[in-house]
Amino acid sequence: MVDYTTPVTTAFEMQRSTIEQSQKALEQSVSFQKNVNNAVIDSLDTQESAQRRGVELQQTAFHSCLDAMATTMPGMTETVEQIRETVDEQFDFLLENHAEIFDNMETELEDGAETYDEMTAEYVSAVNEQVDMLVEAHEELESQSVEAAEQFGEQLEEVQEQVEEIQEQVEEVQAEAADAVDVEA
């Protein structure tokens, strides 16, 4: 007996494999984005620290300029100190705002990442449910297709047997006819 179901089951297995691979790819892309979000949030402290050091270096450089002015311009010491106080106040204000901005950015990014995580978890869960239903329906369709292929194979074999029987009968009739012609001649 010829197995007519192998191509059918192979096709269905390939389709299911594709569905499962697509599902895994979706989950991996969601996981990747989650990791990217966490990496961005984790890098904020480093960025803030580097920028803060840059601002502090500018303040130090400005102080060096003021020190140079005070030593090269006699009688300017009081004015230079007033300028230094004003500059220090502005740098303090800048550093406070800088820290506040980074705190706000971190809070917003964390909230956004949390919202993303919640939404994607719900989305992935819904997709997984749909895929489970699809695979279940797919397996049922496969079962029906295999059954139909088996029935087709059985019917085909019956037809082949009938054709063989008819061929045998035709050959017998031809042989009898040939014998009858030989007997008369």
Side-chain angles (χ1 to χ4, degrees):
M1 176 177 176
V2 177
D3 185 9
Y4 294 97
T5 62
T6 300
V8 174
T9 56
T10 301
F12 276 96
E13 287 171 5
M14 288 174 52
Q15 290 171 349
R16 259 195 310 281
S17 176
T18 301
I19 291 168
E20 290 167 358
Q21 288 173 357
S22 297
Q23 181 182 16
K24 286 178 186 173
L26 171 68
E27 290 172 354
Q28 288 174 347
S29 68
V30 167
S31 178
F32 174 76
Q33 185 60 48
K34 186 176 182 178
N35 291 339
V36 167
N37 290 345
N38 290 335
V40 168
I41 292 168
D42 292 343
S43 73
L44 282 178
D45 288 339
T46 304
Q47 290 177 27
E48 178 184 12
S49 177
Q51 288 182 10
R52 182 177 206 63
R53 280 194 302 269
V55 171
E56 289 169 348
L57 283 173
Q58 288 177 351
Q59 185 178 14
T60 301
F62 203 77
H63 277 234
S64 294
C65 287
L66 291 175
D67 290 343
M69 283 176 58
T71 58
T72 58
M73 302 169 112
M76 293 292 294
T77 307
E78 192 174 316
T79 305
V80 168
E81 285 306 312
Q82 288 175 351
I83 294 172
R84 185 185 310 268
E85 286 177 24
T86 303
V87 166
D88 286 345
E89 287 174 11
Q90 294 302 313
F91 272 104
D92 289 344
F93 180 74
L94 175 64
L95 289 172
E96 282 178 34
N97 284 336
H98 185 265
E100 188 176 319
I101 287 170
F102 269 89
D103 287 344
N104 289 339
M105 279 179 32
E106 186 171 7
T107 300
E108 291 299 318
L109 285 172
E110 286 172 349
D111 290 347
E114 186 177 318
T115 300
Y116 174 82
D117 291 349
E118 290 171 3
M119 287 176 42
T120 54
E122 290 174 14
Y123 175 73
V124 168
S125 177
V127 167
N128 287 341
E129 286 178 25
Q130 295 297 317
V131 167
D132 289 345
M133 289 172 39
L134 175 63
V135 167
E136 191 175 303
H138 193 263
E139 287 171 347
E140 179 62 31
L141 179 60
E142 177 186 15
S143 174
Q144 292 171 359
S145 297
V146 166
E147 187 176 318
E150 288 172 347
Q151 289 174 358
F152 170 77
E154 290 170 5
Q155 290 172 354
L156 184 60
E157 286 177 6
E158 288 176 17
V159 168
Q160 284 177 333
E161 288 174 11
Q162 290 173 359
V163 167
E164 288 172 5
E165 288 175 14
I166 291 172
Q167 282 178 336
E168 288 174 12
Q169 290 173 1
V170 166
E171 288 173 5
E172 287 175 16
V173 168
Q174 285 176 343
E176 289 174 9
D179 288 342
V181 169
D182 284 339
V183 172
E184 291 180 11

